[in-house]
Amino acid sequence: MVSVVLCTFNRADLLPRAVGSVLGQDYGNLELIIVDDASTDGTEALVGSFEDERIVYIRNDTNIGAAASRNRGIA
């Protein structure tokens, strides 16, 4: 199993392309952990619209920055 941690903050417009790139890989034994760093642009609803059981969604209550978000995704 490969875990891909994708951190995002107010990038809902770019997220579908990034998610598609990860999930479109030939290697299928993976999980995509999306860490939303307290976005205010509809990111949560967008992630909820993806129907793929390999996606794990984590939302930070407050913006904690990229490094802390990556650490949270790894945990």
Side-chain angles (χ1 to χ4, degrees):
M1 167 80 67
V2 173
S3 298
V4 178
V5 178
L6 175 64
C7 300
T8 186
F9 176 68
N10 287 340
R11 298 292 179 132
D13 57 327
L14 301 175
L15 200 54
R17 183 174 176 202
V19 169
S21 177
V22 172
L23 298 181
Q25 297 299 308
D26 290 337
Y27 186 79
N29 190 18
L30 61 86
E31 66 178 345
L32 173 57
I33 302 168
I34 300 174
V35 183
D36 178 359
D37 199 15
S39 295
T40 59
D41 66 348
T43 294
E44 185 172 13
L46 177 64
V47 172
S49 72
F50 297 127
E51 295 182 9
D52 195 306
E53 61 189 28
R54 298 174 292 175
I55 296 175
V56 176
Y57 177 71
I58 300 170
R59 179 174 168 78
N60 298 334
D61 293 329
T62 59
N63 186 281
I64 60 175
S69 292
R70 271 191 297 278
N71 289 338
R72 189 158 183 226
I74 291 168

